[in-house]
């Protein structure tokens, strides 16, 4: 009910989540998209699905992701161009993990409805030590891609997914050496997008170093204020 009324009030809600790995973007993207009644589009999830199915995209992305490197811009721009053209995106979407580079942001801008002035961009801010702690304790369900944390957000039964009952694992790119590389990629290639969007979109910093419910309330208030 709340989702439907919010969606009607907003007409079209296009949201970008920017932030380093471990900032809580994935968790909040599910909550916000569900609340607004729009799809959550996670490029990381789409790529992991492509790897699991061993599609051409998955075969190209897999080795890069294992090393914590970014997948080439052209592949990502194509993926998002096709996904956002699908019917369920007509009322908007929440983008989790895209764009991650300047060429990706420029690619998005060329897409129908890609004018940055129509976007709300959230910049998730979390201290580095907290990111490391979150990523090292993160566990993941390879079947349904739900995520947990060994102490902050454990599953009901140890290492078993609450949603689908599969065994949980640690993602290879959450191992410490790979995490360092991912954070470096973020600093060098994604962080500049904050400056890029500051003058082009409605940009909102969000303190991600709070309990999940408090972060979610912050997002909702900002979305309402932008309506
Ligand atoms: P995530 O689940 O968002 O942390 O993404 C996991 C990995 O997928 C990243 O470390 C990248 O290797 C790859 N990836 C996801 N989104 C993008 C993107 N927009 N551009 C390039 N690589 C991406």
């Amino acid at each position: 009910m709340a989702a439907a009324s919010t969606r009607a009030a907003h007409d079209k809600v296009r949201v970008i989540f920017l932030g380093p790995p471990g900032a809580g973007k994935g968790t909040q993207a599910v909550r916000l998209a569900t609340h607004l009644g729009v799809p959550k589009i996670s490029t990381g999830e789409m790529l992991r699905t492509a790897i699991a199915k061993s599609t051409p995209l998955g075969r190209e992305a897999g080795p890069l992701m294992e090393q914590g490197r970014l997948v080439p811009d052209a592949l990502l721009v194509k993926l998002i161009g096709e996904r956002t053209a699908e019917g369920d995106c007509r009322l908007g979407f929440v983008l989790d993990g895209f764009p991650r580079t300047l060429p990706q942001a420029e690619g998005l801008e060329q897409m129908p409805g890609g004018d940055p002035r129509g976007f709300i961009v959230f910049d998730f801010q979390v201290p580095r030590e907290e990111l490391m702690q979150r990523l090292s304790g993160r566990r993941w369900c390879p079947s349904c891609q739900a995520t947990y944390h060994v102490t902050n957000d454990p599953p009901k039964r140890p290492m078993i997914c609450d949603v689908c009952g599969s065994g949980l694992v640690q993602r290879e790119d959450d191992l410490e050496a790979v995490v360092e590389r991912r954070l470096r990629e973020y600093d060098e290639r994604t962080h500049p997008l904050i400056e890029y969007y500051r003058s082009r979109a409605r940009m909102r910093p969000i303190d991600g170093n709070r309990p999940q419910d408090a972060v979610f309330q912050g997002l909702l208030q900002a979305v309402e204020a932008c309506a």
Side-chain angles (χ1 to χ4, degrees):
M1 194 61 195
S5 57
T6 309
R7 188 175 60 188
H10 283 288
D11 185 24
K12 202 156 190 172
V13 202
R14 287 179 298 239
V15 177
I16 292 174
F17 279 4
L18 288 182
K25 302 187 301 297
T27 307
Q28 296 295 338
V30 176
R31 290 185 70 171
L32 185 63
T34 304
H35 181 87
L36 296 173
V38 298
K40 171 211 66 156
I41 302 179
S42 157
T43 44
E45 267 183 34
M46 292 167 88
L47 291 168
R48 285 187 288 276
T49 302
I51 291 170
K53 291 185 175 162
S54 195
T55 65
L57 172 65
R59 288 198 296 275
E60 184 155 356
L64 295 167
M65 287 170 71
E66 263 176 36
Q67 297 168 41
R69 292 170 185 270
L70 294 183
V71 175
D73 291 329
L75 296 178
L76 267 298
V77 170
K78 181 166 180 285
L79 190 68
I80 289 297
E82 289 170 1
R83 180 64 189 88
T84 55
E86 288 176 26
D88 63 338
C89 292
R90 70 191 183 286
L91 291 174
F93 43 77
V94 176
L95 284 178
D96 163 24
F98 182 95
R100 254 178 161 102
T101 66
L102 221 44
Q104 291 181 17
E106 287 162 359
L108 178 62
E109 219 167 313
Q110 301 306 312
M111 293 173 200
D115 184 342
R117 287 172 299 185
F119 282 83
I120 306 170
V121 181
F122 287 108
D123 166 28
F124 280 67
Q125 301 178 345
V126 175
R128 202 46 60 114
E129 319 80 70
E130 174 69 15
L131 293 176
M132 296 303 286
Q133 194 270 345
R134 289 187 188 180
L135 290 165
S136 60
R138 185 153 79 175
R139 298 294 178 269
W140 172 70
C141 173
S143 298
C144 73
Q145 305 216 29
T147 57
Y148 301 86
H149 187 278
V150 284
T151 48
N152 304 348
D153 185 18
K156 294 194 179 70
R157 288 177 293 159
M159 293 303 276
I160 301 292
C161 179
D162 293 347
V163 181
C164 73
S166 302
L168 301 181
V169 296
Q170 185 169 25
R171 269 170 46 183
E172 289 202 13
D173 61 348
D174 281 346
L175 298 172
E176 201 174 321
V178 184
V179 162
E180 281 168 15
R181 169 109 216 181
R182 291 168 68 201
L183 288 171
R184 216 163 49 237
E185 291 277 42
Y186 171 78
D187 290 339
E188 289 170 9
R189 300 179 66 189
T190 309
H191 192 262
L193 291 181
I194 295 171
E195 208 44 55
Y196 179 83
Y197 280 122
R198 209 189 299 281
S199 59
R200 291 173 171 81
R202 288 164 293 173
M203 172 92 195
R204 300 288 178 270
I206 192 99
D207 175 6
N209 197 20
R210 294 179 289 172
Q212 282 184 16
D213 286 345
V215 176
F216 184 57
Q217 287 312 316
L219 293 172
L220 282 187
Q221 280 167 13
V223 169
E224 291 302 324
C226 286

